[in-house]
Amino acid sequence: MWVNYLSNAHKYGGRPPHIELSAETQTDGTVRFAVRDSGPGIALEDQARLFKPFARLDQVRAKGHGLGLSIVRRIVEKLGGQVGVESQLGYGSTFYFTLPESREAKAPQE
């Protein structure tokens, strides 16, 4: 999860990229982990597509198949969490995921 988020922040997070990492306990018993970048931001209409398989917003610079964020979503959901993005054009993006705060490993449900 971290590798994908950090790699994307490095690729799309501005030149030079400015990347911030954070972790914060939420009131619902989860921890929100986030990667914020200083890139151009993502239009609201494009944000909904980001975590779907084969979705690539930057066809020119992007290498790969557009599966990274969809794989992150599947892993996080199997661990009982959620993924998301907060972004506004011209103000960078924050990609985040939440996981249960429990220190015990939660077994994935089939």
Side-chain angles (χ1 to χ4, degrees):
M1 297 171 296
W2 282 111
V3 170
N4 183 271
Y5 278 11
L6 289 169
S7 173
N8 285 347
H10 185 261
K11 279 192 268 188
Y12 308 113
R15 293 290 169 245
H18 177 80
I19 301 169
E20 298 176 22
L21 308 178
S22 64
E24 184 178 336
T25 302
Q26 306 295 292
T27 58
D28 65 357
T30 63
V31 179
R32 183 181 190 258
F33 301 94
V35 176
R36 176 164 174 67
D37 67 47
S38 59
I42 302 165
L44 186 59
E45 59 271 13
D46 292 329
Q47 292 176 27
R49 300 183 329 167
L50 287 173
F51 292 93
K52 295 182 179 175
F54 306 107
R56 291 173 50 208
L57 302 183
D58 188 341
Q59 300 296 325
V60 176
R61 291 189 318 163
K63 292 183 180 180
H65 301 287
L67 292 171
L69 290 175
S70 67
I71 292 169
V72 167
R73 179 182 54 84
R74 288 183 60 194
I75 291 169
V76 169
E77 288 176 354
K78 284 193 179 280
L79 294 172
Q82 297 178 333
V83 297
V85 61
E86 297 167 348
S87 186
Q88 186 177 356
L89 288 175
Y91 295 96
S93 301
T94 300
F95 283 83
Y96 65 88
F97 61 94
T98 63
L99 292 175
E101 186 177 23
S102 172
R103 297 189 196 282
E104 298 174 12
K106 182 176 180 180
Q109 297 189 12
E110 303 275 329

